[in-house]
Amino acid sequence: MPFTLIIFLLLVPGFVVIGVYLERKVSAFIQDRMGPMEVGKWGVLQLFADLLKLLQKEDIVPKAADKWLFLIAPFVIFVAVFAGFAVVPLAPDLAGSGAAVGVFFLLTIVSVDVVGLLMAGWGSNNKFALFGAMRAVAQIVSYEIPLGLSILCVVMLTQTLDLQAISFQQGIYAVDPVYLFEMKQFGLDISAIGGFLSWNIVRNPFLLIAYVIFFIASLAECNRAPFDLPEGESELVAGFHTEYSGMRWAIFMLSEYGMMLLVSLLGAILFLGSWNTPFPNIGPLRLADWTSGEPGTWFGYLSGAFWLLGKAVFGVLVQMWARWTLPRLRVDQLMYLGWKVLTPVGLVLFFICGVWRLIGI
């Protein structure tokens, strides 16, 4: 566990450095702009210049603000987001805390960031910040319901809350037989084939819809466009962090990118095979065996981390693509989508997955 903690302490800040630069370049490519180009070759040092600037900026606390709420809020969000990485498995024998209720812990601890957002908006004593905070609370509480329903579909079919156990079920190292469509009666046993055929999103056709719901709800959880109403700069200056400057503002940004990585990792673990390879064994071509390391070996650690992080980064790229392509929703559109579209569809999927599990036993 200490080794895993060290990995994440290095991984997440490193991802923020890469993610911010990548988002600037992705947005520039999508909108036919240049992006950072002046500081370092291809602008690769621009983020370090920004970090130096933020470190030198004065930490201003508004006179009328609630000082303690204002100062603590960024750290509440930071702790809530980064505590979630404690239960993420990186490889077969690299599982963090190894909590048997990892899914439940992750959903619980990530929800705490709502408290930090509300503290930031209320403590700022600024109407724009308060509007942004109230929007964030309403949005996150609303979209946690379809997010939880999509995750429960996976939990019901896998019969476990352990993220590492869910990971093992989606590859060649599964303890129990793996059936395509999860039907023992007429399903194909793919335990020795592995690859993408063992992924939850392929094994159960309804989980593809569940993953779409999960992805949309995770965008809202991260306050990412088109669900970035809490930070609607065209309406609210900057939303809940309007009054923040310097490193406290940087902590908000760090937490946002940390949340992007966390939900992308969770989506990869639950739906996209986790640390398992996408290549299946095809007759004499043992692609799954060749690209998956034995549990407990260095190649197992490296290959597992490579596949999981690769899937998570792909999810982050899709999030960036959505941000710089889709327009921001109105408040009524956002609530309509969450309560009248995603939540009913999630409930129907939850019922179908329960029946599917019952029939497949």
Side-chain angles (χ1 to χ4, degrees), residues 24 26 28 51 63 87 110 119 140 158 164 186 202 222 258 262 274 299 357 360:
R24 287 171 170 173
V26 168
L51 180 61
K63 186 176 180 180
V87 295
V110 168
M119 289 170 62
I140 293 175
T158 58
Q164 187 69 300
F186 53 88
V202 176
C222 297
L262 183 59
S274 189
F299 184 63
R357 173 68 186 177

Side-chain angles (χ1 to χ4, degrees), residues 72-81 112-113 115-117 119:
I72 294 173
F75 299 100
V76 172
I77 299 174
F78 179 87
V79 171
V81 171
V112 177
D113 75 327
V115 178
L117 295 176
M119 289 170 62

Side-chain angles (χ1 to χ4, degrees), residues 97-121:
S97 68
V101 289
V103 175
F104 182 74
F105 171 82
L106 202 53
L107 286 174
T108 304
I109 197 68
V110 168
S111 301
V112 177
D113 75 327
V114 177
V115 178
L117 295 176
L118 188 58
M119 289 170 62

Side-chain angles (χ1 to χ4, degrees), residues 59-61 66-76 244 248:
D59 184 19
I60 300 173
V61 180
D66 187 318
K67 182 178 179 181
W68 290 111
L69 283 181
F70 185 86
L71 295 178
I72 294 173
F75 299 100
V76 172
Y244 285 87
R248 292 188 192 277

Side-chain angles (χ1 to χ4, degrees), residues 12 40 57 229 243 320 341 343:
V12 179
K57 274 193 170 183
L229 283 117
E243 297 292 350
M320 294 177 181
V341 178
T343 299

Side-chain angles (χ1 to χ4, degrees), residues 157 169-171 176-207 280 356 359-361:
L157 292 169
Q169 291 181 17
Q170 300 179 74
D176 299 318
V178 179
Y179 295 96
L180 193 61
F181 302 130
E182 296 186 350
M183 291 290 187
K184 295 180 182 179
Q185 295 88 345
F186 53 88
L188 175 65
D189 189 347
I190 54 173
S191 304
I193 299 176
F196 69 92
L197 294 174
S198 299
W199 295 1
N200 285 332
I201 202 171
V202 176
R203 286 168 54 197
N204 188 295
F206 300 107
L207 288 187
W356 189 276
I359 296 173
I361 292 177

Side-chain angles (χ1 to χ4, degrees), residues 3 7 89-95 164 167-168 172-173 273-277 288-309:
F3 181 60
I7 291 176
L90 267 179
D93 286 329
L94 206 59
Q164 187 69 300
S167 300
F168 271 106
I172 57 175
Y173 298 121
S274 189
W275 37 256
N276 290 289
T277 176
D289 295 336
W290 298 337
T291 56
S292 299
E294 289 283 344
T297 64
W298 280 107
F299 184 63
Y301 294 145
L302 294 176
S303 65
F306 173 78
W307 291 122
L308 178 60
L309 294 176

